[in-house]
């Protein structure tokens, strides 16, 4: 016997290690084979489900009668919803209404509700997309919970769905949190809330006087991105704020002649970004008497300030191109003249 011949304890240990390794390899191979068999079965089941439902959905889109079961089998749910979403992205009008009715007839509301609460991450995402296209109000509570999750993918899509289904609720329950949630970039917040812009306007406006100083720049940036403009009286006190970001937002939103003096007070600000946006604001609000101030800004040490100032001068409705050429010719500073000529060569105002 091999075992009896192994008198050395080290050889016996090596023998058992070898046996254990062989057993582990066999088990691993069996596990891989099992996973492969399950994958093949799942793929065959998915292909059969798609083959069954594709002609049904096609007939429904064409307005033709089609034989179909009264409810979805559990094993068909995911493939049916995936196929339904595929068609949903490519149809409009009555065809979309027919498609929605088919989903409702098949109990998709019930299925999505279960997936939203008990499904895995993939099923939750699928259910969110279905609920969004159906406008399913029964999913609103679950969508609110998902919108507050740390999982960015689920929270973004849940918020988009909520905005589409109930923009008023989304504005009240989601928008204030997104202002203080710095994990969401401002551009992403604006994109998500765009569908509820009208509903967000009073909500965000009411937040302005109670928002903490550290969150105020973000609130103003979101409002600016949504094109929610504050009245001049509300903007006026922001022009004395310490935060550069707040000043920039105030300058970007300045559209009333009543703010002209406040804008002029910032043309010498220590931060070049404030000076740049002050120049752009003067392009909208400036008068003839402000041209001399802007000519002085054309000598700023920062290139972007000079460039935006030249564009702002070109944007002033009372200044003709001949006058701007004359200003460039008369400029005592070489940088000022060169910048005016560059903007003229580019072909028009951009302020």
């Amino acid at each position: 016997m091999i075992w009896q011949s192994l008198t050395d304890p080290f050889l016996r240990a090596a023998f058992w290690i070898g046996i254990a390794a062989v057993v582990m390899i066999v088990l691993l191979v069996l596990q891989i084979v099992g996973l492969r068999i399950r994958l093949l079965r799942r793929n065959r089941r998915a292909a059969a489900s798609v083959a069954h439902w594709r002609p049904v959905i096609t007939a429904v889109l064409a307005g033709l009668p089609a034989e179909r079961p009264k409810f979805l089998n559990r094993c068909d749910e995911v493939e049916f919803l995936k196929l339904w979403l595929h068609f949903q992205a490519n149809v409009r009008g009555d065809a979309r209404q027919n498609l929605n009715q088919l989903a409702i007839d098949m109990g998709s509301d019930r299925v999505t509700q279960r997936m939203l609460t008990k499904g895995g991450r993939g099923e939750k995402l699928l259910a969110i997309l279905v609920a969004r296209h159906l406008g399913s109000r029964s999913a609103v509570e679950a969508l609110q919970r998902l919108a507050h999750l740390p999982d960015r993918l689920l929270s973004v899509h849940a918020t988009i769905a909520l905005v589409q289904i109930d923009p008023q609720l989304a504005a009240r329950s989601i928008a204030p949190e997104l202002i203080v949630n710095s994990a969401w970039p401002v551009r992403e917040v604006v994109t998500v809330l765009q569908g509820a812009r009208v509903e967000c306007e009073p909500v965000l406006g009411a937040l302005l006087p109670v928002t903490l100083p550290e969150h105020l720049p973000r609130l103003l940036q979101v409002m600016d991105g949504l094109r929610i403009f504050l009245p001049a009286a509300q903007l006026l006190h922001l022009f004395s704020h310490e935060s550069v970001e707040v000043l920039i937002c105030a300058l970007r939103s300045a559209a009333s002649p009543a703010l002209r003096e406040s804008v002029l007070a910032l043309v010498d600000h220590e931060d070049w970004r404030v000076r740049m946006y002050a120049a752009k604001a003067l392009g909208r609000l400036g008068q003839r008497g402000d041209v001399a101030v802007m000519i002085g800004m054309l000598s700023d040490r920062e290139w972007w300030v000079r460039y935006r100032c030249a564009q702002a001068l070109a944007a002033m409705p009372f200044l003709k191109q001949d006058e701007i050429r004359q200003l460039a010719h008369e400029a005592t500073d070489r940088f000022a003249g060169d910048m005016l000529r560059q903007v003229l060569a580019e072909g028009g105002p951009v302020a």
Side-chain angles (χ1 to χ4, degrees):
M1 295 292 293
I2 298 177
W3 174 250
Q4 293 175 344
S5 64
L6 297 176
T7 56
D8 191 321
F10 291 105
L11 292 177
R12 290 195 175 197
F15 173 81
W16 283 115
I17 291 173
I19 293 296
V22 170
V23 171
M24 289 183 65
I25 291 171
V26 171
L27 291 176
L28 182 59
V29 169
L30 290 175
Q31 187 177 18
I32 292 172
V33 170
L35 289 173
R36 181 62 179 171
I37 290 172
R38 281 200 294 270
L39 178 60
L40 290 173
R41 286 177 177 173
R42 189 183 301 121
N43 289 344
R44 281 199 298 268
R45 192 162 53 240
S49 180
V50 169
H52 171 74
W53 283 106
R54 186 182 294 276
V56 173
I57 294 177
T58 303
V60 168
L61 290 176
L64 301 174
E67 292 186 7
R68 62 178 188 263
K70 294 182 179 180
F71 59 89
L72 279 172
N73 290 323
R74 187 69 175 261
C75 61
D76 285 340
E77 290 174 352
V78 171
E79 297 307 324
F80 170 79
L81 293 177
K82 286 181 180 179
L83 189 63
W84 183 86
L85 284 172
H86 170 75
F87 279 96
Q88 186 72 237
N90 295 285
V91 297
R92 297 291 184 273
D94 292 341
R96 175 166 287 182
Q97 294 300 321
N98 293 341
L99 199 57
N100 287 351
Q101 189 59 52
L102 172 65
I104 293 170
D105 291 344
M106 292 295 99
S108 294
D109 271 350
R110 171 183 52 80
V111 174
T112 54
Q113 190 72 16
R114 188 187 72 245
M115 288 182 174
L116 287 171
T117 54
K118 299 179 180 179
R121 187 171 186 258
E123 287 189 342
K124 280 185 171 68
L125 182 58
L126 179 64
I128 289 170
L129 297 176
V130 172
R132 173 187 170 189
H133 283 290
L134 282 177
S136 178
R137 299 194 66 83
S138 62
V140 165
E141 186 177 344
L143 289 173
Q144 280 186 283
R145 289 196 301 269
L146 293 174
H148 292 88
L149 290 178
D151 187 320
R152 283 280 301 283
L153 182 65
L154 289 178
S155 62
V156 166
H157 282 284
T159 303
I160 292 173
L162 195 59
V163 165
Q164 187 165 325
I165 295 170
D166 193 337
Q168 188 69 46
L169 177 63
R172 292 196 312 269
S173 64
I174 304 296
E177 182 181 335
L178 294 182
I179 298 304
V180 300
N181 187 355
S182 58
W184 284 52
V186 169
R187 185 185 299 273
E188 197 169 81
V189 174
V190 171
T191 300
V192 168
L193 294 180
Q194 195 66 54
R197 191 193 71 81
V198 174
E199 291 78 8
C200 284
E201 185 166 354
V203 174
L204 297 183
L207 285 177
L208 194 62
V210 297
T211 298
L212 295 174
E214 59 265 30
H215 299 313
L216 185 57
R218 183 176 171 87
L219 171 59
L220 292 170
Q221 288 164 8
V222 171
M223 294 181 74
D224 181 57
L226 291 173
R227 312 303 291 169
I228 297 174
F229 298 108
L230 293 171
Q234 280 187 286
L235 273 177
L236 193 59
H237 78 279
L238 297 178
F239 279 92
S240 58
H241 203 278
E242 295 179 356
S243 168
V244 168
E245 286 74 17
V246 170
L247 291 176
I248 289 173
C249 290
L251 288 166
R252 283 170 60 93
S253 300
S256 169
L259 300 171
R260 172 176 157 271
E261 291 295 334
S262 298
V263 173
L264 285 169
L266 295 175
V267 298
D268 294 319
H269 194 275
E270 60 183 6
D271 193 291
W272 70 268
R273 294 171 296 168
V274 176
R275 300 197 301 274
M276 180 183 73
Y277 279 102
K280 293 186 70 173
L282 285 175
R284 301 188 299 272
L285 309 175
Q287 302 175 2
R288 274 200 174 270
D290 303 326
V291 172
V293 175
M294 298 180 73
I295 292 296
M297 295 181 75
L298 286 172
S299 300
D300 195 277
R301 61 182 179 275
E302 289 290 338
W303 184 90
W304 278 108
V305 177
R306 301 196 301 271
Y307 182 57
R308 294 305 186 194
C309 185
Q311 288 182 324
L313 282 167
M316 288 179 159
F318 50 79
L319 282 181
K320 307 302 180 185
Q321 285 202 352
D322 289 343
E323 292 180 86
I324 297 174
R325 289 192 183 91
Q326 186 63 28
L327 289 174
H329 178 72
E330 295 174 352
T332 56
D333 183 274
R334 178 174 62 85
F335 292 115
D338 288 346
M339 192 58 74
L340 283 173
R341 280 186 285 270
Q342 177 178 331
V343 168
L344 285 173
E346 288 175 357
V350 188

